[in-house]
Amino acid sequence: MNDDLTAVFREEIRDLVESLERGLLDLKTRPQDAGLVNQVFRDLHTIKGSGGMFGFVALASFIHDFETAFDRVRSGKAQVTADLIRLGLAARDQIPALLEGAPDPQDIRGSILRALQALTSDPTAVPSMPDLPRLTFCLTGPALALGARPDLVLTELATLGATDIMAVADTMPALADLDPDTCCLTWTMSMPATVGKADIEDVFLFVEAEWTLDMAVNNAPLPGVAVVSADVSAATTASPAPAVSASNEAEATVRVPATRLDTLMDSVGELVTVEARLTELARQSCDPSLIATAELVTRLAGQLRDATIVMRMVPLRSLVARFRRLIHSLSDTLGKPVEFIIKGEETELDKTMIEKLADPLVHILRNALDHGMETPAERQAAGKTGEGRIELSAIHAGGEVLIRVRDDGKGMNPERIRAKAVERGLIQPDAQLSESQIFTLVFEPGFSTAETVTEVSGRGVGMDVVRRTIESLRGSIDVESRLNHGTSVTLRLPLTLAIIDGLLIDVAGEKYTLPLATVQEIVELPAEKSQASLTGDFLDVRGKFVPFVRLRTMFDCDAPLPESQNVVIVEAADGCIGFVVDHIIGTNQTVIKQMSKLHSGARSISGATILGDGTVALIIDVPQLVALARPQGDLVKELAA
Amino acid sequence: MTKTILTVDDSPSIRRMVRMTLQDAGYDVIEGVDGQDGLEKATATRVDAVIVDQNMPRLDGIGMIRALRQHPNGQGVPVVVLSTESEDNLKQQARQAGALGWMVKPFTQDKLLAVIRKVVGP
């Protein structure tokens, strides 16, 4: 078995295990849902089938017994109970170890299986058979000329429970000898032991076929076997048969290792940089044909960039599956029953981003359940339902993704947070802070208000890590909370990490890039405000008061002032703020290059990019710069007051 | 795409019963009143399956199948023979003429539908 195929298999198993876990957890809320039971059963069945085919005999036999238990549920001989789900999840946890071939000295697997069997068994049950009978058939005579449809036969067999369906192409003659009316393929598949000869005769009622049902099992794949894939598409017909696998994708998909996508993204990044250089050179050359070519390259590079970004997007679903599990076990541990709702799990984000989001979201969810949620008794006293509610939602908003965790727990107490922050020396006792500023204090390092440190959270590490991680992803966190009504934590994240649309600006001869997504609008700085003053750094933008800061002042530049200056108004955590710049150069594709470690202290700069003419522009980290500017603004406000 | 089934039978009541059953299930149905008429209709348009009676005036079922298989439009079309008798000899002949399967009368609507689904898919 070659390595590529094994990698595909492992990935497939991972997806199946995820789907299995989701199914089990959903069963907890909808135990009567036959569709869910079937889904769980199908997942198990496919894991077993593929496992057996790829030589993971121990896995296949373990899953077989697991599956047997669910078969009893499926056929109505056993009920879905909390115990069954617990055992099912425990069994699911064994799958990775089985894949790795890890030993099981304490026979945990055996005890799980015995418990599962005890839970679902009935006395007449026969001992399980790890190996399934194998059905082999081929269509004889001019079957195709008579209108026989192998795809329909395969579909019918699939509904009987056939798995590992493989087409054997050994008997395929050379193209010149091929008779289009003869079906040259032979199919082989595993059938559930419950399927008898009569059932199979029924399938072949109208089709001239030779078939055998073989009890002996050959785990090693036959040589020259073409894997038809779980989708049972018949090789001889164009129309695809309905899929047996749960993940029924209408379109063909290709699995690609993530590293290749990273390489592609890097190359596209380089291409965009080179393209900018080409455009610049073309512009200087004034050669119309070169300019036209450069424009074409620009357009193609843009398309390639968009295609690559989309390619790297994965739905949030892959991430949230583990959260269901987390909430499930946490709510058990803490004795706080909650309903966990996930909305928008199809929302897509860059793969790297998804991976990095896992830990922050775990922290936020844990906090919501551990600190935010009351015990059932407290909830009843507050006039709420005994079961709490935690909602995880994700939506696309412009160039960003908003991920929100909302609970209906006790909410945050600004007074208590304030007192704690003062006690911890995070703020001065007389600091003037808005409510939202107080809430963001929980993200400060070393902050924790939980009276007792629980097993789950409360050690005061975590939330600051959350903020650091989100900011490293160029995202931001908003917290809203109402006492006794609940808290909502919103993460704002960019769609991708590698390339952004930037606004190129000039401050005293130096070029900088602002992420275009943060830019609200650009206005001209009125001449009377061109000189720095202590009280006048506000603009009236259509009746709205917008404070502004001068980047020249912030970056300590004293070059002569240009004739006119512009104000770039950006969106910040609490309203809009303007940056006064010398010139607006234009928008560009900004390929983000990380700064060296030596520059990690430069907080207001998030990276650098190489421009078309080969010079470097620093990328401004807008939230950080706003935070840096705030003391100046506050000073202005105080003086103005 | 809606699938078209041709029912060939000299009995209007059988044709009607087949038509109603299959139309309710979402198939298009066209009718042939005997083997000759059925053959003309089956060769004039492409149909997805043919249900044909054995005993009919002008041209019987097996004769029609044999002729149909000679025609380019008749290749690969599944044909199911309806017959009152289930003698093996007839089945053998039908198979040789190019029928895919057969059904024994009387049959229920469910049975008919099951057969059609088996032969052409839902």
Side-chain angles (χ1 to χ4, degrees):
Chain A
M1 194 58 59
N2 71 42
D3 288 351
D4 267 6
L5 212 52
T6 315
V8 170
F9 161 73
R10 283 176 189 276
E11 201 156 323
E12 177 192 328
I13 295 291
R14 214 176 45 229
D15 290 352
L16 283 167
V17 167
E18 222 163 68
S19 162
L20 169 67
E21 182 174 293
R22 193 160 60 236
L24 284 170
L25 291 171
D26 284 347
L27 266 181
K28 190 182 149 196
T29 43
R30 288 176 284 153
Q32 301 302 329
D33 191 331
L36 272 176
V37 174
N38 275 327
Q39 186 213 320
V40 167
F41 184 78
R42 268 197 313 270
D43 289 341
L44 287 172
H45 204 84
T46 317
I47 296 172
K48 177 179 75 174
S50 314
M53 226 180 78
F54 281 80
F56 293 91
V57 183
L59 173 70
S61 117
F62 177 79
I63 297 290
H64 176 82
D65 291 353
F66 189 175
E67 181 191 14
T68 309
F70 265 88
D71 193 27
R72 304 199 58 76
V73 175
R74 193 170 68 141
S75 54
K77 289 179 192 142
Q79 293 296 313
V80 175
T81 58
D83 274 348
L84 181 74
I85 290 167
R86 193 177 48 74
L87 280 170
L89 288 170
R92 167 248 171 266
D93 290 345
Q94 293 297 321
I95 296 174
L98 278 160
L99 265 184
E100 297 308 321
D104 181 23
Q106 279 143 23
D107 195 29
I108 299 169
R109 290 165 204 160
S111 53
I112 292 173
L113 289 182
R114 280 189 293 278
L116 264 176
Q117 206 201 354
L119 204 61
T120 56
S121 70
D122 73 335
T124 59
V126 284
S128 60
M129 294 256 301
D131 294 331
L132 292 173
R134 196 101 190 135
L135 172 72
T136 308
F137 79 89
C138 62
L139 303 186
T140 53
L144 297 180
L146 299 186
R149 297 261 306 268
D151 59 328
L152 293 177
V153 173
L154 286 168
T155 310
E156 214 172 330
L157 288 168
T159 57
L160 283 179
T163 49
D164 295 358
I165 304 176
M166 294 189 289
V168 183
D170 283 359
T171 48
M172 186 70 82
L175 189 58
D177 306 326
L178 193 70
D179 174 6
D181 287 339
T182 312
C183 180
C184 304
L185 288 175
T186 300
W187 282 273
T188 141
M189 68 206 68
S190 293
M191 296 301 291
T194 47
V195 174
K197 292 210 173 211
D199 299 321
I200 292 168
E201 260 162 24
D202 204 37
V203 172
F204 293 112
L205 188 59
F206 284 159
V207 188
E208 249 185 293
E210 272 175 16
W211 56 269
T212 53
L213 192 57
D214 192 1
M215 300 308 282
V217 166
N218 184 3
N219 265 328
L222 302 165
V225 163
V227 178
V228 181
S229 93
D231 283 355
V232 207
S233 353
T236 51
T237 58
S239 58
V244 269
S245 90
S247 54
N248 178 5
E249 296 287 342
E251 297 162 37
T253 53
V254 180
R255 287 172 185 272
V256 179
T259 49
R260 288 193 201 169
L261 286 182
D262 292 344
T263 315
L264 180 65
M265 194 69 201
D266 287 348
S267 306
V268 169
E270 294 298 323
L271 177 67
V272 169
T273 310
V274 172
E275 171 267 311
R277 179 118 185 86
L278 176 66
T279 307
E280 178 64 25
L281 288 174
R283 198 180 55 77
Q284 285 169 10
S285 77
C286 297
D287 176 349
S289 58
L290 184 57
I291 292 173
T293 312
E295 274 172 8
L296 205 60
V297 172
T298 304
R299 203 166 65 232
L300 288 174
Q303 287 170 0
L304 193 57
R305 177 195 77 136
D306 291 348
T308 311
I309 289 175
V310 170
M311 225 182 272
R312 292 177 52 88
M313 303 277 252
V314 284
L316 208 60
R317 190 181 302 114
S318 55
L319 180 65
V320 298
R322 64 184 100 167
F323 298 153
R324 290 175 193 269
R325 181 69 186 277
L326 174 87
I327 296 282
H328 170 81
S329 41
L330 262 186
S331 96
D332 272 4
T333 315
L334 296 169
K336 297 176 179 176
V338 284
E339 186 190 4
F340 183 48
I341 297 154
I342 297 177
K343 285 185 181 164
E345 55 182 337
E346 67 288 344
T347 309
E348 291 186 324
L349 264 169
D350 189 273
K351 192 169 164 48
T352 323
M353 188 104 67
I354 294 249
E355 284 155 9
K356 292 194 174 154
L357 270 178
D359 285 347
L361 279 173
V362 165
H363 274 302
I364 294 171
L365 284 169
R366 273 186 182 165
N367 268 287
L369 193 54
D370 194 17
H371 301 322
M373 205 50 75
E374 313 93 321
T375 61
E378 284 167 349
R379 289 183 65 87
Q380 308 244 304
K384 298 185 193 175
T385 52
E387 194 184 54
R389 187 187 150 100
I390 293 181
E391 186 185 294
L392 176 69
S393 63
I395 49 162
H396 277 286
E400 290 182 318
V401 174
L402 303 186
I403 300 179
R404 181 169 295 147
V405 175
R406 192 201 304 260
D407 65 62
D408 68 345
K410 58 189 170 218
M412 301 206 295
N413 186 338
E415 290 310 312
R416 242 180 83 205
I417 293 173
R418 204 195 150 90
K420 197 81 171 184
V422 172
E423 182 194 315
R424 297 276 156 111
L426 297 173
I427 52 167
Q428 293 301 316
D430 56 350
Q432 295 287 319
L433 293 174
S434 72
E435 202 162 80
S436 76
Q437 283 170 325
I438 291 178
F439 290 146
T440 53
L441 285 173
V442 300
F443 294 106
E444 291 298 326
F447 185 94
S448 174
T449 58
E451 265 95 38
T452 51
V453 171
T454 65
E455 180 198 344
V456 181
S457 51
R459 285 178 302 271
V461 275
M463 288 317 255
D464 59 316
V465 180
V466 169
R467 183 166 70 179
R468 247 202 336 269
T469 314
I470 299 301
E471 284 178 355
S472 77
L473 296 170
R474 292 190 290 106
S476 64
I477 306 181
D478 296 334
V479 183
E480 282 167 44
S481 186
R482 274 180 68 199
L483 204 53
N484 296 325
H485 283 83
T487 305
S488 111
V489 178
T490 307
L491 310 181
R492 288 169 171 273
L493 295 155
L495 286 179
T496 182
L497 294 170
I499 303 183
I500 55 168
D501 279 316
L503 181 72
L504 201 59
I505 55 167
D506 183 315
V507 178
E510 286 290 333
K511 296 196 182 84
Y512 301 90
T513 293
L514 286 162
L516 198 57
T518 61
V519 175
Q520 298 272 303
E521 61 184 309
I522 301 168
V523 295
E524 204 160 306
L525 184 70
E528 72 270 17
K529 302 213 179 206
S530 66
Q531 291 296 330
S533 78
L534 277 177
T535 53
D537 283 359
F538 287 93
L539 276 184
D540 179 3
V541 181
R542 292 185 299 278
K544 216 169 65 180
F545 231 28
V546 178
F548 63 80
V549 291
R550 294 165 202 274
L551 290 189
R552 280 173 161 265
T553 320
M554 296 209 62
F555 296 156
D556 220 3
C557 308
D558 46 9
L561 279 177
E563 273 179 29
S564 68
Q565 296 178 85
N566 288 308
V567 183
V568 180
I569 298 173
V570 298
E571 203 185 339
D574 43 357
C576 292
I577 185 166
F579 291 138
V580 179
V581 304
D582 289 4
H583 303 290
I584 306 292
I585 298 170
T587 58
N588 70 340
Q589 296 281 308
T590 306
V591 182
I592 300 172
K593 305 278 180 195
Q594 292 304 313
M595 306 278 275
S596 76
K597 278 189 185 142
L598 294 176
H599 298 92
S600 60
R603 301 249 294 165
S604 51
I605 302 296
S606 62
T609 185
I610 300 166
L611 301 175
D613 60 1
T615 58
V616 171
L618 297 176
I619 301 165
I620 291 176
D621 187 332
V622 170
Q624 291 290 347
L625 190 62
V626 169
L628 211 62
R630 191 165 284 127
Q632 292 187 0
D634 287 347
L635 185 69
V636 169
K637 273 184 218 164
E638 278 162 32
L639 285 171
Chain B
M1 210 186 75
T2 316
K3 291 182 172 127
T4 308
I5 316 291
L6 169 66
T7 166
V8 187
D9 205 303
D10 55 342
S11 151
S13 64
I14 296 276
R15 287 204 306 270
R16 180 144 185 202
M17 184 267 204
V18 171
R19 171 186 279 278
M20 278 168 50
T21 309
L22 296 184
Q23 276 179 345
D24 280 353
Y27 297 98
D28 275 349
V29 179
I30 52 178
E31 297 177 21
V33 298
D34 59 35
Q36 193 58 44
D37 185 39
L39 181 63
E40 281 156 20
K41 285 184 172 138
T43 49
T45 52
R46 178 83 198 175
V47 295
D48 292 287
V50 180
I51 305 170
V52 61
D53 186 28
Q54 166 56 8
N55 294 312
M56 288 182 295
R58 292 216 284 169
L59 186 62
D60 68 9
I62 288 178
M64 177 193 144
I65 296 167
R66 215 168 267 142
L68 179 67
R69 291 299 183 208
Q70 302 299 318
H71 192 278
N73 273 0
Q75 299 297 316
V77 178
V79 182
V80 177
V81 180
L82 286 182
S83 64
T84 19
E85 52 271 87
S86 60
E87 43 177 304
D88 278 351
N89 187 23
L90 184 70
K91 287 181 187 174
Q92 202 63 38
Q93 280 185 39
R95 200 14 86 77
Q96 270 167 11
L100 182 67
W102 55 88
M103 264 180 87
V104 178
K105 284 195 237 177
F107 53 84
T108 62
Q109 293 183 316
D110 288 347
K111 177 89 188 292
L112 173 68
L113 210 51
V115 166
I116 288 301
R117 286 202 172 120
K118 207 173 170 72
V119 171
V120 300

